[in-house]
Amino acid sequence: MNYQVFATAQAAVNHIAEEFKRYSQLGQAIHISLSGGSTPKLLFQTLAKPPYNTAIQWQNLHFWWGDERCVPPTDTESNYGEVQRLLFDHIVIPSENIHRIYGELPPEQALVRFEQDLQTIPSKQDNLPVFDWIILGMGADGHTASLFPHHTDFANPNLAVIAQHPESGQYRISKTACLIEKAKRVTYLVTGAGKAKILQEIQSTAAEALPYPAAKIQSQQGITEWYLDQEAAALL
């Protein structure tokens, strides 16, 4: 487990914001996949304020999502809607750089639309799009994106999948493990004391012996890293 411990969640988020700035200055289109959850909320709020709101060359960054709940973008549960409210409404970014998942469509249609949109990413490997950076979270049950323990087909060769939350039954659209693993860089952003025990388990146990998708999914060719705050890393 390649991990970096930050003093606070804010410090971890600031590091990611600096990376956004660096990527944006490369003078080419950079495709980044965002995560839902509480810590990314802090990231979006940070990016929306000085210096990042103007220092980042937003026209060079393309934003995608690891997963989306099957709800309209105006719903408080929408991952895209949250980024729209917290970040996109406060910066100047071309609308064509925002590649949302259409959660308001019936799941089968949303899936097809998402897979079609993903094919527009120019970089490919084994017919799968290659993301420059995929930022993921991890749930208390070890899920990531909407890939849940005991409900994930890690060999699914498609780009995306219709997933169902094991408890609520809510439908979601998610990137597949195979697509995530093609990325040049995969970063798990995990914060809070509630994640400490599972992180300890992931660090001390072989991934194949665990049911957690977050323990198993990593970049095949590039970097996989974990950004943790001190609370999450307390037992490592």
Side-chain angles (χ1 to χ4, degrees):
M1 188 191 206
N2 169 26
Y3 64 89
Q4 192 169 339
V5 181
F6 296 85
T8 61
Q10 184 66 59
V13 157
N14 289 348
H15 185 77
I16 292 176
E18 286 293 331
E19 288 290 88
F20 276 28
K21 188 167 110 180
R22 182 181 67 80
Y23 275 120
S24 81
Q25 292 167 345
L26 296 177
Q28 63 194 57
I30 299 292
H31 291 269
I32 298 174
S33 178
L34 301 172
S35 165
S38 53
T39 310
K41 196 179 293 191
L42 187 61
L43 171 64
F44 309 139
Q45 289 167 330
T46 301
L47 291 166
K49 293 184 289 220
Y52 301 111
N53 58 341
T54 54
I56 291 171
Q57 297 178 28
W58 296 105
Q59 73 278 9
N60 293 330
L61 301 184
H62 284 254
F63 290 107
W64 302 75
W65 280 262
D67 66 328
E68 183 59 278
R69 299 172 177 101
C70 291
V71 296
T74 50
D75 193 293
T76 54
E77 291 236 301
S78 168
N79 286 338
Y80 157 76
E82 182 160 86
V83 186
Q84 179 73 46
R85 288 187 298 276
L86 297 179
L87 176 60
F88 298 147
D89 285 348
H90 309 279
I91 60 171
V92 178
I93 183 168
S95 59
E96 60 268 25
N97 288 26
I98 299 169
H99 307 271
R100 76 179 181 89
I101 299 170
Y102 289 80
E104 69 272 31
L105 296 175
E108 292 76 12
Q109 290 179 30
L111 178 71
V112 169
R113 173 74 187 263
F114 186 37
E115 291 198 316
Q116 288 172 341
D117 289 346
L118 284 164
Q119 291 290 5
T120 65
I121 294 177
S123 181
K124 300 274 198 312
Q125 188 183 10
D126 303 327
N127 293 320
L128 292 171
V130 175
F131 276 84
D132 295 288
W133 195 9
I134 294 182
I135 301 168
L136 296 168
M138 180 186 70
D141 61 353
H143 85 266
T144 191
S146 279
L147 303 174
F148 296 96
H150 311 295
H151 295 272
T152 297
D153 176 4
F154 294 95
N156 184 339
N158 297 315
L159 305 186
V161 64
I162 297 171
Q164 218 176 347
H165 190 282
E167 288 163 14
S168 70
Q170 182 189 55
Y171 283 104
R172 300 172 174 199
I173 306 298
S174 177
K175 286 188 171 75
T176 58
C178 286
L179 175 57
I180 294 169
E181 290 179 336
K182 286 286 181 263
K184 295 176 187 172
R185 180 181 184 185
V186 173
T187 302
Y188 288 91
L189 174 62
V190 183
T191 62
K195 307 288 174 67
K197 193 83 184 87
I198 193 170
L199 285 168
Q200 181 188 41
E201 211 180 329
I202 289 170
Q203 189 203 24
S204 61
T205 310
E208 55 270 20
L210 294 170
Y212 313 132
K216 300 171 187 280
I217 297 171
Q218 44 191 310
S219 171
Q220 289 172 339
Q221 311 291 332
I223 302 163
T224 304
E225 57 197 349
W226 293 72
Y227 287 175
L228 313 174
D229 68 351
Q230 285 186 327
E231 290 186 340
L235 301 178
L236 299 181

